[in-house]
Amino acid sequence: MSSFTPRAWKSQPASEAEHRTEAPVEPLHPNDLAESNNLPIASTDFIGRERDVADVKALLSQHRLVTLVGSGGVGKTRLALQVGTELIADYPDGVWFVDFAPISDPELVSSITAQALSISQQEGRRVDESIPFWLKRKKLLLIFDNCEHVIESVASLAAAILATAQDVRIVATSRQALGIGGEEPMRIPSLDVPRAVADLSAAKVMEFAAVALFVSRATTADRSFTLTDDTAPIVAGICRRLDGIPLAIELAAARVKVLSVPHLAERLNERFKILTGGSRDALPRQKTLSALLDWSYDLLSPQEQLLFERLGIFAGGFGLDAATKVCGGDGLDEIDILDLLASLTDKSLVAADTSSERERYRLLESTAAYALEKLGASGRRDEMARRHAEYFRDQALAASETFGTGSTFAWLAGAELELDNNRAALAWALTLGHDAVLGGAIAGALDELWRGSGLGVEGRYWIGLALERISEVQHPQIAARLWLSLAHLASGKRLRDAAERAMRLYKSMGDDRGVARAQSYLAYAHFQMGRLEEAHVVTEQALATARASGDSLTVGRSLNQLAFVMRFRGNVRAARELFGQALTAARSLGDELATATVLNNMAEDLFGEGHSEEALRAANEALEIQLHGKNTQNVGICHVNIAAYRIALGEPTEARNSARAGLRVAQQGRFEALIAVALQHLAALAALGGDARRGAQLLGYVDAQLTALGMLREHTEQQGYDKVMAALRETLSEDEIAQLSAEGAAWSEERAVEEALQL
């Protein structure tokens, strides 16, 4: 099977292909992840919830969905993460954390979940339909965090998962239960506090989790802090007045750096008189947390308050440059931003991560919501939202110019850091309708991120919104980029139509680089639709235009594409020379994914010429690269190709393992063509291993599937097919083969896979 740029897998063109509007579905991520979880590393001690951890674990042994219900700041997330950490060994397929806090659009719930699970999104299939199917044979634990603001969508997804994947467990955190069958809500209380505070010694109050948490965080803030018998009752009183809410306690404890314990208690009393009147239990927890944040906010200097409010506009995190450019000015000198950020970090209003090459900052969920409310009250929320969107538009455009000029994996890692901010900017610009042109520029510039991170469905969603809202006449550059990006994420006739519209717009503006890229996509569309002559002509045009405009990325892609077309047209020598040029171009750019794509195609070419060992080496090199990325379609292709090469080399055990790996990927992604190819290789192993009847049945199923897809076998698959048929004819008559093939053709996919895996 061949890899292709920009799409990686291709069928042999068939005359019927031009009537299809959908390409085979892209696969999801295989179950061969290097890590068994994506849980964030805790930066502080886990205090006071040991019994709750045991209770949650006990409930999970009896119920498939446990929802941790409680007020904001009560510690639901920290508890869920601790449970997940302690249960990693119990779930062979891992523990996976999905945080819904950064999103506001319920339509993105499935996209966020797919991203956390490294599931590639598929054209032609809803993401919320793909996730339960992907999880069907998994044994893993999902943590759905911060569900309350998108609760209906989360509940719907959770219900679908529970109905499909019997070995999946879910821990959800929310301010209310999801309200679906099979759910076991567990209310998370505040941390234990003393009922009375008089005459309590330091040793005695430390038996209460709330006080232990306060002391731990106070010691972190000020190493000289010590709890004494004199201050113990005061600290216990502070914890009581904060209702034992962990976030509130942590914020208060951080103040020991600047306030004595008695003064802290005094200020707390002044700001929280609402807590002393009437029953605390009758007061909404959010109101309690909001009151604490009011108090914390009032302790800030005017400049700290101004920066804190503006930081609320970020989603998911931000860098120093973003904070400086978006928040600076109008009362805040840019040169002071770093010092102000450091001060807010010291006061537990901003969390800083300096463990990576570049520092990242974030506001806790409740703190960010509070900051955004303050920003709205100041009347400057839309102004800051525009500055935020303009900043990330500029970043997206600049990043798109560097794609393919260095490590693709490093580029994607950097781009994914700002995914939540881009989503927030797109929601403001497009969903809320503030600036479709600005939103369109962002959506179009992120096409490599949408594709490389497996977010094709989401990318098409934003691009579609933008195309509905902007005028091609008034904004041809934005429209052209949107159509080009849509082509990058589409297949078949949709790809052709989008590429043609992009090409017309770029030609009208005299943008040769845009024309070259549109031509490259259009050529690929022709190939998909079985039009080899048109594919050849347009690829040559794209290559010439790209060279003239100095577009190295498109030159490399066009060389690979032209080599592939030449190979199908029978010009082996020209194809091999072009593959060599394409590989040199990809390696010179440092583009790992392009390098892997060319290596895979070269392997197919070598195998077609009878060089099985060389083909295997090239395919293994391609697989090693692909396993570091998220394009699982290419991973599956490498596995099935390696299976074919190992069959030819007489290595049945290794071939079976590779075919099964490819089949697993194909099933997870609902990639019908890849399923068929993997099953054909297993049919070959059956026939060559003496099980002719099962081999004939499997081959009958494969034939029926390929016919339904309107696809022909490529050279590797055709060679394998011929070998299987020869082996079958040595044992079975033509009538027996026909009868067994008809039986296999009537099988369901589940039956065919079950039969194949018994080999």
Side-chain angles (χ1 to χ4, degrees), residues 358 393-416 444-449 481 513 517 550-554 557 585-586 588-594:
R358 290 186 177 274
R393 173 202 59 197
D394 295 343
Q395 294 298 301
L397 289 170
S400 72
E401 293 299 312
T402 65
F403 182 85
T405 60
S407 169
T408 308
F409 296 146
W411 187 95
L412 285 170
E416 286 176 341
L446 295 177
D447 61 324
E448 298 291 355
L449 173 63
R481 182 58 187 270
R513 191 181 72 162
R517 294 190 175 187
D551 184 0
S552 300
L553 177 65
T554 305
R557 287 177 167 179
S588 67
L589 291 172
D591 186 342
E592 301 99 335
L593 291 181

Side-chain angles (χ1 to χ4, degrees), residues 124-158:
R125 176 181 287 271
R126 289 167 54 93
V127 186
D128 56 353
E129 296 173 347
S130 299
I131 292 171
F133 191 93
W134 187 86
L135 293 169
K136 186 174 183 179
R137 292 180 176 85
K138 300 290 189 298
K139 184 177 183 181
L140 56 75
L141 175 64
L142 284 174
I143 299 176
F144 283 170
D145 195 39
N146 298 300
C147 302
E148 53 273 356
H149 59 303
V150 287
I151 194 163
E152 292 185 4
S153 294
V154 175
S156 177
L157 178 60

Side-chain angles (χ1 to χ4, degrees), residues 113-267:
T113 305
Q115 180 190 0
L117 290 167
S118 296
I119 299 176
S120 298
Q121 298 180 12
Q122 319 152 47
E123 182 179 359
R125 176 181 287 271
R126 289 167 54 93
V127 186
D128 56 353
E129 296 173 347
S130 299
I131 292 171
F133 191 93
W134 187 86
L135 293 169
K136 186 174 183 179
R137 292 180 176 85
K138 300 290 189 298
K139 184 177 183 181
L140 56 75
L141 175 64
L142 284 174
I143 299 176
F144 283 170
D145 195 39
N146 298 300
C147 302
E148 53 273 356
H149 59 303
V150 287
I151 194 163
E152 292 185 4
S153 294
V154 175
S156 177
L157 178 60
I161 291 172
L162 294 179
T164 305
Q166 64 179 4
D167 290 325
V168 171
R169 296 289 186 273
I170 302 173
V171 173
T173 75
S174 178
R175 294 178 188 175
Q176 66 183 96
L178 301 187
I180 62 176
E183 179 185 34
E184 181 65 20
M186 176 177 169
R187 181 159 294 278
I188 307 304
S190 299
L191 295 177
D192 292 340
V193 295
R195 293 185 178 182
V197 298
D199 300 324
L200 289 176
S201 66
K204 189 65 176 178
V205 296
M206 283 294 289
E207 295 176 4
F208 295 91
V211 176
L213 178 64
F214 182 97
V215 172
S216 173
R217 302 304 185 254
T219 304
T220 299
D222 184 358
R223 291 183 179 276
S224 65
F225 174 84
T226 302
L227 184 70
T228 67
D229 287 343
D230 290 334
T231 58
I234 304 174
V235 170
I238 291 172
C239 293
R240 279 198 62 183
R241 284 171 170 77
L242 295 179
D243 288 342
I245 298 174
L247 178 58
I249 291 170
E250 291 183 351
L251 289 169
R255 299 297 175 262
V256 302
K257 192 174 183 179
V258 292
L259 295 172
S260 67
V261 169
H263 194 192
L264 175 60
E266 180 183 337
R267 296 291 299 271

Side-chain angles (χ1 to χ4, degrees), residues 267-278:
R267 296 291 299 271
L268 193 64
N269 283 331
E270 293 171 358
R271 302 307 295 167
F272 283 85
K273 290 181 180 179
I274 191 173
L275 296 176
T276 62

Side-chain angles (χ1 to χ4, degrees), residues 1 20 26 79 114 219 245 282 330 390 524 545 570 594 615 618 631 755:
M1 298 181 71
R20 301 197 308 273
E26 296 181 7
L79 174 59
T219 304
I245 298 174
D330 297 327
E390 289 175 346
Y524 175 63
T545 310
N631 191 328
E755 293 286 344

